[in-house]
Amino acid sequence: MDEAVLRSLTPSVLGVLVRRGADFAAAEDAVQDALVEAVRVWPDGPPRDPKGWLVTVAWRKFLDATRADTARRRREDLVDAEPAAGPAATADDTLRLYFLCAHPALTPSSAVALTLRAVGGLTTRQIARAYLVPEATMAQRISRAKRTVSAVRFDRPGDVATVLRVLYLVFNEGYSGDVDLAAEAIRLTRQLAAAIDHPEVAGLLALMLLHHARRAARTAPDGSLVPLAEQDRDRWDTASIAEGVGILQAALARDRLGEFQAQAAIAALHADARTAEETDWVQIVEWYDELTRLTDSPVVRLNRAVAVGEADGPRAGLAALAELDDGLPRHAAVAAYLHERDGDAVTAARLYAEAARAATNVAERDHLTRQAARLNARGRR
């Protein structure tokens, strides 16, 4: 049984333990112990019912830990409470766990970090990268969140905004990171959209569909990245684009604009262009202005600088970029692109090489390295 299958079963098994009365932190530890046991014994003979096996073993691990803190007589009484092996319920508890992790006792940022780690399956390093903080800082934040929720009851689930933030980050990591979580994020967002009539839920679903529609064209057969302007648009999923645009239009018609609707509008403008040259960059800049007003995010401002460079010329883009901290992730890559468009190949090559050294995944690093090599080779001619 491979790691991906184990990861896909984890949320449901965790949900079973929580429903049976285990507090979240103890349930998470028990499930992790069961996964370790599965890795050890399944290669010699995998069970016919993997989920049922994991539920049984995880529950036993939880009970064993509980007994360690009680008297012998109490430990003996609890033996009868252990569940028998056999099929487990097939209900999908993943979305419910997202809401439980977004508990009111936690700050939104801690709730997001805990959910990404405990339910989303991301590593502490991946979460820290998404939040632009050191890995050690994020590890402390997650540990504090675990301690907080271990002492509270899970009868007050968190708010929709926090769950949306988690789903968005899971999708982004699955879309461009080391673990493929994009399809799972879309599935859960569809469930949420079916359960809750909320324009930002619809906006997030539209955004995911529009980005996912381009996924097949984002990489070449050798695995290298293909920039948006160079993608084969015939490979885009037109059905997903049509669905995403329809969902977005319905959400925008309600006149309750949020950041996910604004991002989806930008993605829709890219999807609507038959060629890169036909992209309506002026309107994209206008949407980035709205998004900046809603979020004041440095990452949004960085992407806006690219759009300004396309709409008003590379020097205007560089002027917008100069207002931002050059320590931002991808700052050097954006600067390299704008300098190249402005005709400064020497500076662009240096910045592409700098961006490659700071890249967080192999495909991005290789792409930036090739860009630097291309410009350096041109300069030697």
Side-chain angles (χ1 to χ4, degrees), residues 217-221 223-232 235 367 370:
R218 291 184 73 246
T219 54
S224 60
L225 288 180
V226 180
L228 176 60
E230 300 172 19
Q231 289 176 14
D232 179 359
R235 298 185 65 195
H367 171 72
R370 282 193 295 270

Side-chain angles (χ1 to χ4, degrees), residues 121-380:
L122 274 64
T123 66
T124 303
R125 176 175 297 178
Q126 290 169 322
I127 301 168
R129 190 170 66 232
Y131 269 90
L132 310 180
V133 299
E135 184 176 352
T137 300
M138 184 53 66
Q140 292 174 354
R141 184 179 299 177
I142 293 172
S143 295
R144 286 196 299 269
K146 287 182 178 180
R147 288 196 298 270
T148 298
V149 299
S150 67
V152 300
R153 293 182 58 83
F154 282 95
D155 54 358
R156 291 190 300 147
D159 65 350
V160 175
T162 301
V163 173
L164 288 178
R165 177 63 50 191
V166 175
L167 289 169
Y168 174 67
L169 292 173
V170 169
F171 177 81
N172 280 348
E173 190 60 43
Y175 191 65
S176 61
D178 303 321
V179 181
D180 186 358
L181 298 167
E184 174 69 358
I186 292 174
R187 183 183 72 83
L188 293 173
T189 307
R190 283 191 187 278
Q191 286 187 7
L192 188 58
I196 299 176
D197 183 19
H198 192 297
E200 274 293 82
V201 176
L204 179 58
L205 179 57
L207 174 64
M208 289 179 175
L209 291 170
L210 289 164
H211 276 304
H212 208 61
R214 305 199 304 259
R215 189 172 188 183
R218 291 184 73 246
T219 54
D222 63 359
S224 60
L225 288 180
V226 180
L228 176 60
E230 300 172 19
Q231 289 176 14
D232 179 359
R233 300 185 178 219
D234 289 337
R235 298 185 65 195
W236 290 1
D237 183 347
T238 55
S240 291
I241 290 173
E243 182 185 6
V245 169
I247 293 171
L248 173 63
Q249 288 175 338
L252 291 175
R254 301 177 66 175
D255 198 23
R256 290 168 55 193
L257 183 64
E259 63 174 296
F260 295 123
Q261 295 169 71
Q263 287 192 57
I266 293 169
L269 286 167
H270 283 297
D272 187 55
R274 292 176 298 178
T275 66
E277 293 72 25
E278 295 179 64
T279 304
D280 189 345
W281 286 106
V282 172
Q283 193 172 169
I284 287 175
V285 171
E286 292 174 355
W287 276 110
Y288 270 121
D289 289 339
E290 287 287 345
L291 193 53
T292 300
R293 180 182 61 80
L294 290 165
T295 68
D296 197 28
S297 162
V299 175
V300 170
R301 292 180 181 274
L302 188 69
N303 291 330
R304 179 185 178 277
V306 177
V308 169
E310 298 289 353
D312 301 327
R315 294 196 178 182
L318 287 168
L321 189 64
E323 300 174 2
L324 303 176
D325 181 358
D326 60 9
L328 278 172
R330 293 186 61 248
H331 186 284
V334 170
Y337 173 74
L338 292 171
H339 276 291
E340 181 181 0
R341 288 199 62 231
D342 195 38
D344 187 353
V346 174
T347 300
R350 175 178 58 79
L351 288 168
Y352 275 130
E354 178 184 326
R357 290 191 294 271
T360 55
N361 67 65
V362 174
E364 182 181 0
R365 183 179 66 235
D366 290 348
H367 171 72
L368 293 167
T369 301
R370 282 193 295 270
Q371 296 295 87
R374 173 179 56 82
L375 292 180
N376 284 328
R378 181 191 303 174
R380 290 192 294 268

